[in-house]
Amino acid sequence: MQLNEQYRTLSQSYLFSTIAREVDAFRAANPQADLIRMGIGDVTLPLPAVVVDAFAAAVREQGEAAHFHGYGPEQGYDFLREAIRAHYAGFGVDLPADDIFVSDGAKSDIGNILDLFAPGGNTVLIPDPVYPVYCDTNHMAGNRVVFLDANRENGFLPLPDEGQDADLIYLCSPNNPTGAVYSRDQLALWVAYARKRGAILLFDAAYEAFLQDDTLPHSIFEIPGARECAIEFCSFSKTAGFTGTRCGYTVVPHELERDGLRLREMWLRRQTTKFNGVSYPVQRAAAAVFSPEGMAACRENIAVYHGNATVICDALRSCGVWHVGGENSPYVWMKCPGEGSSWDFFRLLLSRAAVVGTPGSGFGKNGEGYFRLTAFGDPEATRRAMARMVDLIGKI
Ligand code: MLT
């Protein structure tokens, strides 16, 4: 038997599993502590009522012979793909519903997409710092990973380097972990670079619903020419509170072709072989997100999270801590106060303030010295956490 030796190159556990273990140990030792979680980007507000109603009605249908649904259509039900198509039309992107594939979330699709590319055979550009799934999955596949430095100098938005070769390029905008957002002109540079090299952009749009600035692009497909060089991943997790319900979608344009193979057909072949779709009730719940009441409720929830981000940023400003993000994203990216590493600050904040964040170095070497806070918490808890953090920073 030959095991995948590439697993030896990975860190011992996934970033958020490592954090969860440290937090569990803290809780066991401090059962009375008022622990406040601002680490993993997990939503806290419940699903909107209209979504729950659609979900519940669909579950009841599954118990009635006349309305029962077995295996669903391969790419997702038409009612959901049509709703997603209309959502894209809302920001000026005309997408055939056939290019949309419904899935159980962006994370799985971002990992699974590598099935379309020869393992070990590609040069992959990945920004640093970055959502760890991009690099972990490429290390598992044995690909040659080249990191793109994202730092204060380039506003955490690396741009193409004409001298650098690439086959696959990961972009996430609004960005996890920094909250930085590419402009249309900047994305146009990436599209031009990818087209020139025949490379493919893997665009993670999971946080598009958090954009408040109307001039910023929600989708890579707003950029002319992207349909020939990009795949886009999106999710209901952060938009509509589906982290525990699971639903997302991936757009593989039918124009995307390399060496006579259409990637849309390859993805269809991959998904029909290895995936049996998302349950009917979950797809009904997801479609309800796009109803007028669903959209209004999601906007209200996102406004609560933006309010939390403002509380976080105001608190950091009050104690002179450099930070970015929070305006068009649920993440605030801050400089760690003091001299220690980002894991040192993680442990200090946990032990002295019972607040959980994410150490920047967990997102890559350029994240060292930084720290990520999420705005997905309860507003009152966010205020308490920030008061404690300001107090702690005053003592460092
Ligand atoms: C994060 O905290 O970076 C996200 O919650 C991870 C994810 O969406 O999988």
Side-chain angles (χ1 to χ4, degrees):
M1 181 215 290
Q2 289 195 348
L3 292 175
N4 182 348
E5 292 287 322
Q6 294 302 325
Y7 277 68
R8 292 188 200 279
T9 68
L10 301 172
S11 56
Q12 212 183 351
S13 73
Y14 181 59
L15 171 62
F16 293 107
S17 315
T18 308
I19 291 173
R21 267 206 311 278
E22 294 229 8
V23 173
D24 287 349
F26 172 82
R27 274 179 78 90
N30 303 276
Q32 310 302 335
D34 170 32
L35 184 76
I36 303 177
R37 295 174 190 273
M38 299 168 79
I40 191 163
D42 196 2
V43 292
T44 52
L45 290 167
L47 297 175
V50 66
V51 171
V52 174
D53 289 347
F55 204 172
V59 169
R60 278 193 297 275
E61 280 187 61
Q62 290 297 76
E64 298 161 4
H67 299 112
F68 173 76
H69 290 77
Y71 290 125
E74 292 171 336
Q75 287 184 233
Y77 283 95
D78 285 350
F79 61 77
L80 178 53
R81 286 189 302 137
E82 183 48 40
I84 295 168
R85 194 202 59 71
H87 176 63
Y88 272 91
F91 33 84
V93 174
D94 187 17
L95 213 61
D98 258 6
D99 292 356
I100 300 166
F101 294 75
V102 174
S103 74
D104 65 343
K107 177 175 173 174
S108 348
D109 282 3
I110 286 168
N112 294 335
I113 201 76
L114 291 179
D115 276 6
L116 308 195
F117 306 98
N122 289 297
T123 299
V124 183
L125 304 190
I126 300 183
D128 171 352
V130 77
Y131 180 37
V133 173
Y134 311 157
C135 17
D136 284 0
T137 53
N138 275 284
H139 285 134
M140 287 172 187
N143 286 333
R144 188 169 96 86
V145 171
V146 176
F147 287 107
L148 301 166
D149 286 327
N151 47 40
R152 269 171 87 165
E153 288 66 50
N154 60 21
F156 294 97
L157 295 168
L159 290 173
D161 166 1
E162 289 302 332
Q164 173 66 56
D165 259 358
D167 298 304
L168 297 175
I169 303 150
Y170 287 79
L171 298 178
C172 175
S173 180
N175 187 262
N176 177 11
T178 66
V181 188
Y182 279 112
S183 69
R184 246 169 254 281
D185 288 349
Q186 290 171 322
L187 286 184
L189 293 175
W190 276 115
V191 167
Y193 171 87
R195 287 172 65 100
K196 197 160 148 194
R197 280 169 179 71
I200 293 178
L201 297 170
L202 300 173
F203 191 79
D204 184 349
Y207 300 96
E208 61 89 10
F210 288 80
L211 286 169
Q212 302 195 89
D213 177 344
D214 289 342
T215 66
L216 295 169
H218 289 252
S219 162
I220 190 70
F221 300 120
E222 290 179 56
I223 311 302
R227 297 185 57 81
E228 287 86 23
C229 69
I231 293 174
E232 180 159 298
F233 306 90
C234 203
S235 164
F236 293 90
S237 286
K238 318 294 158 102
T239 305
F242 271 55
T243 50
T245 305
R246 309 307 310 149
C247 197
Y249 48 94
T250 289
V251 179
V252 190
H254 57 269
E255 291 93 334
L256 185 59
E257 188 179 327
R258 295 290 180 272
D259 299 328
L261 283 172
R262 277 180 196 270
L263 276 86
R264 186 201 160 277
E265 309 308 325
M266 291 172 76
W267 185 240
L268 179 64
R269 188 70 175 83
R270 190 264 172 219
Q271 291 296 79
T272 47
T273 306
K274 295 193 181 181
F275 181 59
N276 252 337
V278 176
S279 77
Y280 171 72
V282 168
Q283 292 196 54
R284 277 289 181 203
V289 166
F290 295 111
S291 65
E293 306 91 299
M295 290 305 275
C298 290
R299 270 196 298 273
E300 270 176 39
N301 289 356
I302 288 174
V304 171
Y305 298 141
H306 274 138
N308 289 342
T310 304
V311 167
I312 295 170
C313 292
D314 287 349
L316 294 175
R317 205 171 295 114
S318 77
C319 55
V321 172
W322 184 92
H323 60 280
V324 280
E327 274 167 37
N328 294 294
S329 121
Y331 298 123
V332 177
W333 183 245
M334 60 178 275
K335 193 91 187 78
C336 294
E339 297 301 315
S341 71
S342 47
W343 275 104
D344 289 339
F345 184 63
F346 168 86
R347 291 185 183 117
L348 187 74
L349 191 63
L350 181 59
S351 60
R352 303 257 302 269
V355 173
V356 184
T358 308
S361 60
F363 299 101
K365 78 169 172 35
N366 289 327
E368 184 53 279
Y370 291 92
F371 202 72
R372 192 193 76 175
L373 295 171
T374 93
F376 283 122
D378 165 74
E380 194 41 53
T382 303
R383 271 190 284 276
R384 278 202 315 281
M386 292 316 293
R388 287 185 216 160
M389 196 185 301
V390 168
D391 185 51
L392 176 66
I393 289 171
K395 294 178 182 144
I396 291 176

